Amino acid sequence: MKYIFVTGGVVSSLGKGLTAAALGTLLENRGLKVCLQKFDPYLNVDPGTMNPYQHGEVYVLDDGTETDLDLGHYERFTHVKLTRLNNLTSGRVYLNVLERERRGGYLGKTVQVIPHITDEIQDRIREVAEVSKADVLITEIGGTTGDIEGLPFLEAIREFALEQGPANAIFLHVTLVPFIRAAGELKTKPTQQSVAKLREIGITPHILVCRCDRPLSKEVRQKISLFCNVPYEAVIEERDVEHSIYEVPLMLQRERMDELVCRLLQLATPPADMSHWQDILRRLIAPQHRVRIGVVGKYIGLQDAYKSVYEALTHGGVANDCGVEIERLEAEQIEKEGPDRLLKGLGGILVPGGFGDRGIEGKIAAVRYAREHRIPFLGLCLGMQMATIEFGRHVLGLAGAHSTEFDKTTPHPVIALMEEQKGLTELGGTMRLGAQEVQLKVGSRAARLYGAFVVHERHRHRYEFNNAYRDRYEAAGFLITGTSHHGELVELIELADHPFFVACQFHPEFQSKPDAAHPLFRGFIAAARQYQSGRGP
């Protein structure tokens, strides 16, 4: 087993996760089996209860684990299937250690950060290594070098790497080389300071990945090499991408980073064949068609809040050789201004998931606009619930129809709390989570898109379609074309008299990849392209 530890310095949001994922892609295409994991220094046990504006998207795994959004990058860029073992927070580490202490697991010893916390972290590395049976394990350390909460993780990987030996474990440090406009030059001092801070902890990086918005000159690379004590060839340029994050693997390949990693870890592998990745980029940069998709959400102000949704739309575009221009629309703005001006001219409308009543009426208005104007529509999780409420109010005439999440006294609770959710007091990890079997109706649009009648999709919700209204809805053309394996829970709906109106209770965006678009997104973009071209789906 070989180990790569990815750290970051200077500022957060430099793209450590994307760098780790891109490196995983390159190593996979060299014939190696790769696994990735993320260590997050925050004290939350997991991100499941965190505000999207604080943390961004909560990414859900097959086993129901609520994780950091970087794990989405890992699964999109590689073939790895991740589990609860692949994301670890400080909160989980301390909780495990303290629970063990309460059970007498430390035999009365004083419990300390070193060795007990650091040992717990190292145990997770070993567990993932053992379970994955991978050739290379890439571990990303969240946060920024120098943050006090990240120190136990850095100490743990320092000790672990020392134990493994220099040919089996390397450190890759992502840092910032900013351009100072007033001086007219790139500055290396932030990188020097970040590496110095890392070396104080006892870690000397083998490779520096330098985030920058313009090329690193030979002189700048030499300076970084000299003052950071890394070889010249190990100073890797990672510039801001022009078109898509899927350019990053090819950029790093041009810098020969994967070749350097294999040499440091003494891995004899052929060069990575990235021809399929180049085809993906061609479709992204010079597509044959273009379409505008409106995403009506409540967390639109933060790019990362709907990260997987945006990426899945891009994947749907790749599958259709179609460039996707995403219009990010605030649901509250639609409430204020109405849908006519904001939604006019779109090829498709998507309403994603979310929690809380802010912007709900704007989402319902967007659904109504898509239904009445026969615009291709895709609803995800809360988006399906909004479609149910809208249809109840404006087609079935159920005045005041709503979800009990937002109106506990509604006369028509067409969306209600799941039975098993009643009485729960803890919020973290208690929703219907993870991959569940979905049975698709023979002859349905969904079944045709999937090319299957039984699929498994990832869930994250507490409320569901109220079966008391099921017959009334279906009689009016609101078709239930996907259910849970026992037929009780409504999983997917379609409208009988609409060119493309599909909504699901699950989150298909979590299983979409650039070279394997999710069937619902592939079909949605195809319908939107046809609609926008004036030919209709």
Side-chain angles (χ1 to χ4, degrees), residues 60 66 354-355 381-382 384-385 405 415-418 420-421 430-434 436 458-465 489-491 505-507:
V60 180
E66 297 171 291
F355 297 89
C381 195
L382 182 65
M384 190 200 91
Q385 296 176 5
E405 180 181 2
I415 301 294
L417 188 65
M418 299 177 71
E420 60 265 33
Q421 293 291 314
T430 56
M431 287 183 277
R432 185 177 184 228
L433 291 164
Q436 310 280 340
R458 300 179 187 182
H459 295 68
R460 186 175 185 252
H461 67 105
R462 296 184 191 280
Y463 292 79
E464 63 174 321
F465 183 96
L489 303 181
V490 174
E491 293 277 19
Q505 186 58 74
F506 46 83
H507 289 270

Side-chain angles (χ1 to χ4, degrees), residues 10 153 180 188 205 224 311-312 331 368 373 431 523 532:
V10 186
F153 287 102
I180 306 300
T188 66
I224 292 173
E311 293 306 314
R368 184 178 188 181
H373 290 78
M431 287 183 277
Q532 195 157 307

Side-chain angles (χ1 to χ4, degrees), residues 138 170 178 180-181 294 306 368 407 459 464 467 525:
I138 302 173
I170 61 172
I180 306 300
R181 194 169 299 279
Y306 298 115
R368 184 178 188 181
D407 182 2
H459 295 68
E464 63 174 321
N467 282 324
I525 296 300

Side-chain angles (χ1 to χ4, degrees), residues 221-292:
R221 292 193 194 225
Q222 288 174 333
K223 189 174 183 180
I224 292 173
S225 171
L226 177 64
F227 289 107
C228 295
N229 198 36
V230 297
Y232 178 86
E233 66 173 352
V235 179
I236 304 296
E237 175 187 291
E238 188 178 70
R239 292 168 61 185
D240 297 345
V241 292
E242 184 178 353
H243 301 284
S244 167
I245 60 173
Y246 302 112
E247 295 177 56
V248 176
L250 297 178
M251 179 190 300
L252 297 181
Q253 186 183 42
R254 287 194 297 270
E255 290 284 302
R256 298 185 172 181
M257 187 170 83
D258 56 321
E259 182 182 314
L260 175 60
V261 165
C262 289
R263 192 160 67 248
L264 289 169
L265 292 175
Q266 298 179 7
L267 291 166
T269 63
D273 179 3
M274 299 296 287
S275 54
H276 69 294
W277 212 261
Q278 290 167 343
D279 184 55
I280 291 170
L281 275 184
R282 198 279 303 162
R283 290 167 177 250
L284 285 167
I285 295 169
Q288 296 295 309
H289 313 279
R290 292 197 176 274
V291 70
R292 289 176 63 224

Side-chain angles (χ1 to χ4, degrees), residues 130-164:
E130 175 62 28
V131 170
S132 69
K133 306 295 184 188
D135 300 309
V136 180
L137 174 59
I138 302 173
T139 303
E140 176 194 348
I141 312 300
T144 306
T145 298
D147 292 347
I148 191 167
E149 62 265 31
L151 290 175
F153 287 102
L154 294 176
E155 172 60 22
I157 63 173
R158 183 196 68 80
E159 295 174 9
F160 188 89
L162 184 64
E163 176 187 305
Q164 299 302 314

Side-chain angles (χ1 to χ4, degrees), residues 4 36 41 69 104 138 178 220 234 260 302 315 370 381 395 402 404-405 408 442 485 487 489 493 507 534:
I4 302 171
L36 299 99
L69 61 84
I138 302 173
V220 168
L260 175 60
L302 182 67
H315 305 161
C381 195
V395 177
H402 221 314
T404 55
E405 180 181 2
K408 289 184 170 33
V442 175
H485 71 279
L489 303 181
I493 65 94
H507 289 270

Side-chain angles (χ1 to χ4, degrees), residues 363-507:
K363 290 189 174 189
I364 292 172
V367 174
R368 184 178 188 181
Y369 188 88
R371 179 179 60 80
E372 293 183 343
H373 290 78
R374 299 175 65 78
I375 301 171
F377 171 80
L378 181 61
L380 311 177
C381 195
L382 182 65
M384 190 200 91
Q385 296 176 5
M386 296 300 95
T388 302
I389 294 167
E390 190 280 324
F391 194 89
R393 289 181 184 178
H394 304 120
V395 177
L396 297 180
L398 303 176
H402 221 314
S403 166
T404 55
E405 180 181 2
F406 313 120
D407 182 2
K408 289 184 170 33
T409 62
T410 173
H412 294 291
V414 295
I415 301 294
L417 188 65
M418 299 177 71
E419 198 62 37
E420 60 265 33
Q421 293 291 314
K422 295 176 180 177
L424 290 176
T425 56
E426 292 193 8
L427 298 180
T430 56
M431 287 183 277
R432 185 177 184 228
L433 291 164
Q436 310 280 340
E437 183 180 294
V438 178
Q439 294 187 348
L440 303 177
K441 190 174 182 179
V442 175
S444 65
R445 181 187 296 275
R448 291 197 301 272
L449 289 173
Y450 277 98
F453 300 119
V454 178
V455 296
H456 291 81
E457 292 285 1
R458 300 179 187 182
H459 295 68
R460 186 175 185 252
H461 67 105
R462 296 184 191 280
Y463 292 79
E464 63 174 321
F465 183 96
N466 187 342
N467 282 324
Y469 293 86
R470 193 162 173 170
D471 291 343
R472 213 180 317 184
Y473 268 78
E474 290 216 270
F478 190 90
L479 306 180
I480 294 168
T481 57
T483 62
S484 56
H485 71 279
H486 45 63
E488 291 181 10
L489 303 181
V490 174
E491 293 277 19
L492 195 144
I493 65 94
E494 303 172 19
L495 292 190
D497 59 349
H498 194 285
F500 188 100
F501 192 105
V502 177
C504 53
Q505 186 58 74
F506 46 83
H507 289 270

